[in-house]
Amino acid sequence: MSSPASPTIVVGAGIIGLSAAWHLAGLGQRVLLLDSGPAAGGTTTAGAGFVGQWAAGYAWYWNESERDIEQYGIDFYRQLAESGNGPTGYRQNGNVWLTVTEQGRADHLPPFEEHPLRPAGARSLTPDEAAAIVPGLDPSAVTAGFLHPDGIQVSAPDTARALVASVRARGVEIREHTPGAALESRDGSVTGVRTVGGDVISADRVVLAAGSWTNALLAPSGRELPTVRVVASRLVTQPFGLPDTLPTLMLPELHGLWIREHRGGLTYGAGPGYEALHVGGSDRRTEPDRRPVRPDLLDAMRTYLHPIVAKLLPAASSVLGVDETPTQGVVSMTADRNFIVGPVPELVGLVVAGGDNESGVTHGPGLGRIAAELSATGATTLGDASRYDPARFAAAAPSEAEVVRMMPARREADARRAGAVA
Ligand SMILES: Cc1cc2nc3c(=O)[nH]c(=O)nc-3n(C[C@H](O)[C@H](O)[C@H](O)COP(=O)(O)OP(=O)(O)OC[C@H]3O[C@@H](n4cnc5c(N)ncnc54)[C@H](O)[C@@H]3O)c2cc1C
């Protein structure tokens, strides 16, 4: 372990960096957490806050390791909710996958039904059974469903605030509005972080968790993460009396549509609200806004989703399109759709934690724990670290367009059609 005199610096106070700082402090490290803006002011605050065992049928390219990280996240949020550090919006509403055609049923539900990691209580639903547990669902709008009862929901911004309080309570110093300009190094080892203000903060260990901005600090070390940065969007309706017992709904057949309750209304999103930044001409050297504003993506999403959501939940018709609040953020998808957490071979003492694959609220607690343990002890007690090793990729990352071409299909049915799985 590093000496108490030398802090471990964590760069980035999103959900992954906050978790890393919390776990490092729990391992007896002195920790300094830097963020260029307010803590949790990046992508984390845009998160929709639904969490579940995606490795058990939804994300076919994940296995027990990601499932263990997901379960750790669920347990972590329950304990955070009970810790008295502020509201988190935690509730166990379950996750329900729905299909709207017979083909959708045949394509998307068998991976859940047949999955070896199928969680306790998971079950198939007829349309009427789905309507019995999904308040307001029109059963004639769906062909089948599948329930994971353990899925939870949190408010991502509230949860991040509670975690900030919990991190401070563990003795971590948080310096907000302190952008890291560069990593300092000598003879192949990290020696600290230089801030934009010109100060050099010395440290023999650094955890770099700067979300979709990680490569800007990492690249001078000779390594870049093969990520593609994507603007992701969601809309929040006005309240219309929707009960807060609504499970999170997911419809993979409809461009990944998801829906959850938010303060008596809905928040929802799907593929038309997403666009990779390079599509607009940006490249890896361009730093995206922390909180992007893309009205065109919101319009595309409204046009596609309003008729669908109104059909599924007819009571929502009165509020769809009426003063909806948009929320957008930049997520980082990786070339193999798995996370990147581990030591950077080019710079001793540096651990990177990035490539959130738009599921950092779910996996952030566990990824932060892995980063902290690898930084402090060189080994992790959660998951299979070899799956997240940055060195599984070449040091020089391909273009973002090339990363998109490398990524496995999102849905198992699409991968089967492409012949990628038996
Ligand atoms: C619309 C939307 C809905 C989503 N819904 C869900 C969901 O329901 N469930 C789920 O699991 N995930 C969801 N996600 C994904 C989730 O929000 C992200 O995966 C997660 O927040 C990423 O966390 P992070 O810590 O990697 O990044 P961030 O939260 O972006 O944190 C990185 C931090 O680093 C700071 N930083 C950057 N550069 C520097 C620098 N040079 N110096 C200092 N600080 C720096 C930034 O200011 C930022 O605060 C959603 C995302 C979006 C956009």
Side-chain angles (χ1 to χ4, degrees):
M1 288 191 183
S2 59
S3 71
S6 170
T8 301
I9 298 176
V10 178
V11 181
I15 187 67
I16 297 177
L18 283 164
S19 168
W22 190 88
H23 286 91
L24 279 163
L27 289 164
Q29 303 293 296
R30 192 158 74 80
V31 186
L32 176 60
L33 175 57
L34 304 181
D35 201 289
S36 51
T43 306
T44 294
T45 200
F50 50 91
V51 175
Q53 297 198 359
W54 313 136
Y58 192 39
W60 65 278
Y61 34 82
W62 289 344
N63 71 15
E64 293 88 344
S65 181
E66 289 74 45
R67 188 278 314 273
D68 290 351
I69 293 170
E70 290 156 1
Q71 187 58 50
Y72 183 71
I74 291 171
D75 297 340
F76 184 90
Y77 290 129
R78 188 181 58 250
Q79 287 160 17
L80 183 66
E82 292 165 359
S83 70
N85 282 295
T88 66
Y90 173 92
R91 58 199 184 194
Q92 187 187 326
N93 283 14
N95 296 323
V96 171
W97 284 267
L98 295 170
T99 55
V100 297
T101 63
E102 285 310 321
Q103 186 63 51
R105 198 240 172 281
D107 277 349
H108 295 288
L109 297 191
F112 295 94
E113 292 160 346
E114 297 160 9
H115 207 285
L117 300 176
R118 184 180 159 130
R123 63 187 166 96
S124 302
L125 302 169
T126 65
D128 285 336
E129 287 168 342
I133 56 174
V134 177
L137 177 71
D138 179 350
S140 71
V142 298
T143 50
F146 197 84
L147 169 69
H148 276 188
D150 290 346
I152 65 160
Q153 298 171 357
V154 294
S155 156
D158 287 353
T159 290
R161 271 189 289 275
L163 188 50
V164 166
S166 183
V167 161
R168 285 207 167 100
R170 284 195 155 190
V172 172
E173 181 188 348
I174 304 181
R175 282 192 210 164
E176 298 177 289
H177 307 288
T178 307
L183 301 174
E184 295 282 309
S185 65
R186 192 172 49 243
D187 300 332
S189 294
V190 75
T191 57
V193 174
R194 182 158 40 84
T195 69
V196 162
D199 296 335
V200 174
I201 310 169
S202 297
D204 52 12
R205 287 163 207 255
V206 173
V207 174
L208 182 53
S212 294
W213 301 270
T214 295
N215 272 327
L217 286 182
L218 185 63
S221 74
R223 176 163 292 272
E224 273 187 317
L225 307 185
T227 52
V228 54
R229 297 158 308 161
V230 176
V231 177
S233 313
R234 66 185 174 97
L235 288 162
V236 183
T237 72
Q238 295 291 318
F240 61 100
L242 188 68
D244 64 8
T245 52
L246 189 84
T248 300
L249 307 180
M250 278 161 286
L251 293 92
E253 158 191 29
L254 298 174
H255 292 287
L257 167 61
W258 57 265
I259 302 171
R260 63 160 283 191
E261 188 272 349
H262 180 93
R263 296 186 182 136
L266 292 174
T267 182
Y268 61 99
Y274 291 57
E275 189 177 275
L277 287 173
H278 70 269
V279 172
S282 147
D283 68 20
R284 221 176 242 131
R285 283 162 303 211
T286 318
E287 288 252 336
D289 291 340
R290 298 284 190 272
R291 306 301 316 281
V293 178
R294 287 287 307 271
D296 55 326
L297 298 182
L298 298 167
D299 285 345
M301 208 164 70
R302 285 188 189 99
T303 304
Y304 174 67
L305 289 180
H306 283 176
I308 293 171
V309 177
K311 201 165 167 204
L312 291 166
L313 299 165
S317 306
S318 60
V319 293
L320 291 168
V322 183
D323 293 333
E324 289 175 309
T325 307
T327 303
Q328 295 176 297
V330 184
V331 297
S332 284
M333 313 299 289
T334 63
D336 62 1
R337 291 196 187 274
N338 215 335
F339 308 103
I340 305 177
V341 184
V344 174
E346 291 75 16
L347 212 47
V348 174
L350 177 63
V351 165
V352 71
D356 64 285
N357 285 295
E358 207 207 350
S359 64
V361 175
T362 303
H363 298 88
L367 297 177
R369 172 174 155 189
I370 293 171
E373 291 180 344
L374 290 175
S375 174
T377 72
T380 181
T381 56
L382 177 67
D384 173 0
S386 68
R387 288 175 63 76
Y388 315 121
D389 188 352
R392 71 186 187 277
F393 298 114
S399 70
E400 296 191 273
E402 183 58 27
V403 172
V404 172
R405 282 191 284 276
M406 291 164 74
M407 288 165 72
R410 183 70 178 255
R411 318 276 167 221
E412 184 170 348
D414 295 333
R416 279 186 201 287
R417 284 189 190 107
V421 284

